[in-house]
Amino acid sequence: MGLCLGIESTAHTFGVGIVSFDGRILANSKDQFTTTKGGMVPNDVARHHEEVKERVLMDAFSRAGVSWEDIDVIALSASPGLPPALHVGLRFAKELSRAHKKPLVAVNHSIAHLAIGDLITGAKDPVYLYVSGPNTQIIGLAGGKYRVFGETVDLGLGNMLDKFAREIGLGFPGGPKIEKLAMKSSNYIELPYSVKGMDVSFAGMLTKALRLFEQGCSKEDLCYSLQETAFAMLAEISERAMAHTGKGELLLIGGVAANKRLCAMLDVMCSERGAKFYAVPLEYSGDQGAMIAWQGVLQYLAGERRSPEELDISPYERIDDVEVFWK
Ligand code: AMP
Ligand code: MG
């Protein structure tokens, strides 16, 4: 059985996954850049990836119990992402391709999130709610492309949570810390609820919450209220997308999918309309290499092969820029 080695290097996580052509995940090794205070500085992230890349690669091989001889193709998360971080992955993928004489495949990171979600949950043709650090999008496959039906007009939900956390001194990543504090409150403080058609906005909510914090509102109440407001907005646009497209499944992906309260709200919404809700388990919902490897398998089996000279990064590529030739 063929194997693909996938390299993730778009943002905070450096990951290497090894996945078989029939979708068995043999390894999913990673090392995430974190801080105790302050956010993500692109050059610090790149330095982190340089430092850990060899170790993460070795760890993936030892967990999978395979060697270079067993690998058929190398997939790289070539877009979108922080340019300094993407460059570390690009140089590494080219080096490995030359050293071990393996073809390359260039994967769009966002599409890889969708693909691993399908693989893990068995969803057939869902509406995807993709909520990561920089992204908040409602996506569905239509007419040979992943279409973005709605999205944030300013900050991604994860980045909004991370900014709030940073400003109130919780460190990075902020989402999990906010989730913990939110569990300690049920006192809702009104924050701007901003849905326009299929789009959402989080900037006003962030500004208001920070102002209320300065005025002495408790961290717990604000974390709870941020979650309740932002998640209700997402439930509303997800429901509208399902109604418009007639799709009967919702698949939640991206790092924010780890949040239990968000899952619970979406689950209720779906069961009320007789739809299926799927959340991707923690290990596969955030950034990692297995998703790059699996999307690499799909593209390789559909005929893509690149030489190191033909591989490049596209930091700003959108999901709807990509032709879906593998389905
Ligand atoms: P990704 O870019 O897909 O790796 O997702 C990273 C984002 O997910 C960061 O902004 C995190 O703060 C956020 N995140 C991770 N865990 C949680 C959680 N339990 N609740 C909310 N956000 C989370
Ligand atoms: Mg991501």
Side-chain angles (χ1 to χ4, degrees):
M1 179 54 62
L3 296 180
C4 178
L5 181 139
I7 300 172
E8 162 57 30
S9 173
T10 59
H12 46 65
T13 297
F14 189 85
V16 173
I18 299 176
V19 176
S20 69
F21 287 3
D22 62 357
R24 277 177 304 121
I25 297 168
L26 305 187
N28 196 17
S29 301
K30 62 185 170 189
D31 193 308
Q32 193 186 335
F33 172 84
T34 55
T35 68
T36 47
K37 47 183 192 304
M40 260 206 293
V41 177
N43 287 330
D44 294 349
V45 175
R47 201 169 312 120
H48 165 267
H49 292 0
E50 280 293 350
E51 283 167 15
V52 303
K53 64 183 190 191
E54 293 289 348
R55 186 174 52 70
V56 174
L57 178 71
M58 298 323 294
D59 186 65
F61 273 118
S62 81
R63 281 172 198 268
V66 301
S67 67
W68 273 111
E69 281 172 25
D70 306 305
I71 303 292
D72 294 276
V73 53
I74 300 170
L76 172 70
S77 57
S79 63
L82 302 171
L86 286 167
H87 273 289
V88 177
L90 179 67
R91 282 195 302 272
F92 197 40
K94 287 184 177 190
E95 263 170 48
L96 295 173
S97 162
R98 290 196 176 102
H100 303 284
K101 312 230 170 342
K102 306 293 176 184
L104 292 157
V105 166
V107 164
N108 176 295
H109 171 95
S110 310
I111 288 180
H113 272 298
L114 311 185
I116 196 86
D118 291 346
L119 176 69
I120 299 285
T121 64
K124 298 283 175 297
D125 180 24
V127 165
Y128 301 91
L129 174 56
Y130 175 34
V131 270
S132 66
N135 298 288
T136 299
Q137 295 181 321
I138 296 275
I139 300 163
L141 188 62
K145 281 194 173 183
Y146 286 104
R147 311 282 170 183
V148 179
F149 298 129
E151 62 190 320
T152 176
V153 297
D154 40 52
L155 297 163
L157 176 57
N159 284 357
M160 188 274 279
L161 296 172
D162 292 338
K163 277 195 181 171
F164 181 72
R166 188 177 68 212
E167 297 286 329
I168 70 168
L170 299 178
F172 176 84
K177 293 170 181 159
I178 289 176
E179 180 174 27
K180 275 215 182 86
L181 287 174
M183 284 171 188
K184 296 183 183 158
S185 167
S186 53
N187 179 28
Y188 183 72
I189 301 172
E190 197 167 330
L191 294 172
Y193 181 100
S194 180
V195 174
K196 299 208 171 62
M198 299 284 274
D199 291 334
V200 290
S201 155
F202 296 117
M205 182 185 308
L206 174 63
T207 309
K208 179 85 188 284
L210 287 173
R211 195 175 315 133
L212 289 169
F213 178 69
E214 281 163 18
Q215 290 168 1
C217 284
S218 84
K219 287 183 183 179
E220 290 78 7
D221 291 351
L222 288 170
C223 289
Y224 171 74
S225 307
L226 270 182
Q227 286 201 166
E228 293 303 299
T229 314
F231 297 170
M233 287 160 50
L234 295 182
E236 180 184 333
I237 60 169
S238 303
E239 179 163 34
R240 191 166 305 137
M242 292 168 81
H244 280 323
T245 58
K247 295 188 196 274
E249 301 165 299
L250 178 66
L251 175 48
L252 175 63
I253 46 159
V256 186
N259 190 290
K260 298 208 171 54
R261 176 66 183 142
L262 175 59
C263 291
M265 282 168 76
L266 295 172
D267 196 26
V268 168
M269 180 273 284
C270 285
S271 49
E272 279 172 2
R273 51 180 297 117
K276 280 195 184 142
F277 172 66
Y278 300 103
V280 179
L282 191 56
E283 189 185 354
Y284 302 109
S285 63
D287 293 355
Q288 23 77 33
M291 70 180 193
I292 306 302
W294 174 239
Q295 180 58 29
V297 168
L298 298 177
Q299 294 180 210
Y300 180 75
L301 293 179
E304 182 176 343
R305 277 141 188 69
R306 293 183 195 221
S307 65
E309 295 69 36
E310 291 164 333
L311 187 72
D312 206 354
I313 56 168
S314 322
Y316 308 105
E317 182 177 74
R318 283 175 54 96
I319 202 165
D320 45 9
D321 292 334
V322 179
E323 288 293 341
V324 178
F325 61 88
W326 55 88
K327 279 206 166 188

